[in-house]
Amino acid sequence: MKLLGVYRSPYVRRVAATMNFMGIAFEHEPVPVFDTPDVVRQHNPVVRVPTLVLDDGDALIESFAILDWLDEQAGPAKRLTPASGLPRRAVMKTTAVAIAAIDKTIWAAYEPRFHPKDKVHQPWIEHNEGQAMGGFKWLDGEAAKAGSGWLCGNAMTQADVTAAIGFTFVNLARPKLGVTEACPHLAKLAARLEALPALVACKPPPA
Ligand SMILES: N[C@@H](CCC(=O)N[C@@H](CS)C(=O)NCC(=O)O)C(=O)O
C-alpha cells in the first residue's frame, strides 16, 4: 500500500498518523502534487493528495473516505471513529469542525499563493481566516472541557488526531493568526498528540 502526498498536507498527515496508530504498514511517496501532478493523476482523476494506492492497484481518494476504509480494516478495537450511535455522532461532529477549520486555513493560504499580487483579495483571506479561527476556538472549548482527557469520550479518537494536526498546520501556514495564543487548551492537547510516535513519524517539515 502506498500513500501519495507530502506530510505538510494535513489531509495526507491525518491518513498517515491514523495508519501509524492502527499499525497498518504503508510505503510513503512524498509527491509534491503541484510540481508533479502526473504521478498523482495516474491514480486520482482529480489530482489531489492524499491518494492511497492499494495493493490490488485500486486507489482511494479524499481523506474522509480513506479513513473510513482504514477504520473498517482496523476492526472494532483499533478503529478511531466509532461505528455507530452517539459516540459516532460526537466524533464525526468534532472531526468535521477540525477538518473544516483546516479547509478554511488552506483557502486563506491559497489566495495569495495562486493569484498575482494585484489580484489577491484581502477581505476573502480574512473571511476564511475568521471561519478557521471560529473552528479552532470551538475545538479549544472542547479541549478545555476534556482537560487531560480526550475530545470525545474516554479514548483517543479521530477527533483528537485531526484537531491536533489542524492546530500544527495552522501554526505553520498562518502563524500570524495567533491560534496558539487564542487556543491554549487546544495547544496542550496538540502537544500531547504530537509527542506520540504515530505523529512523530509523519512530522511536517518546518515552514
Ligand atoms: N478534501 C480533500 C482535500 C485534499 C486537498 O486539498 N489536498 C491538497 C494538498 S493539501 C491538494 O492535493 N491540492 C492540489 C490541488 O488542489 O490542485 C481531502 O480531505 O483529502
Side-chain angles (χ1 to χ4, degrees):
M1 194 149 60
K2 203 193 284 180
L3 176 63
L4 308 185
V6 297
Y7 290 154
R8 166 93 175 166
S9 161
Y11 309 103
V12 174
R13 195 168 179 232
R14 74 180 187 139
V15 168
T18 297
M19 289 198 278
N20 291 338
F21 276 121
M22 292 171 172
I24 296 176
F26 66 98
E27 197 186 320
H28 178 223
E29 194 173 329
V31 188
V33 65
F34 287 104
D35 301 331
T36 51
D38 289 343
V39 178
V40 179
R41 200 188 319 273
Q42 287 170 35
H43 305 285
N44 179 350
V46 193
V47 199
R48 289 208 301 191
V49 293
T51 294
L52 186 67
V53 185
L54 307 183
D55 291 341
D56 65 5
D58 196 10
L60 298 179
I61 71 164
E62 288 293 325
S63 57
F64 81 90
I66 298 173
L67 295 179
D68 184 64
W69 182 77
L70 289 172
D71 275 333
E72 193 188 34
Q73 299 303 303
K78 285 192 179 168
R79 59 180 303 140
L80 289 181
T81 300
S84 62
L86 277 180
R88 178 176 177 81
R89 188 169 93 189
V91 172
M92 290 293 279
K93 173 183 167 175
T94 306
T95 307
V97 173
I99 203 70
I102 289 172
D103 288 343
K104 285 296 168 169
T105 303
I106 292 208
W107 287 32
Y110 276 5
E111 176 71 16
R113 181 169 171 195
F114 293 108
H115 289 107
K117 247 193 170 135
D118 60 325
K119 298 243 164 54
V120 170
H121 191 52
Q122 187 60 29
W124 180 237
I125 295 179
E126 284 160 20
H127 174 86
N128 284 290
E129 286 182 339
Q131 288 170 301
M133 187 58 111
F136 287 119
K137 279 192 176 158
W138 186 86
L139 291 168
D140 187 58
E142 296 302 295
K145 285 187 233 160
S148 57
W150 304 104
L151 287 174
C152 302
N154 297 328
M156 190 201 75
T157 68
Q158 188 57 240
D160 301 289
V161 176
T162 299
I165 286 174
F167 177 84
T168 298
F169 177 71
V170 70
N171 282 302
L172 286 171
R174 312 299 291 164
K176 289 191 186 140
L177 210 52
V179 173
T180 298
E181 296 71 24
C183 304
H185 306 284
L186 182 59
K188 272 193 199 147
L189 177 78
R192 263 200 289 141
L193 268 286
E194 288 289 357
L196 300 176
L199 271 82
V200 171
C202 55
K203 239 187 183 12

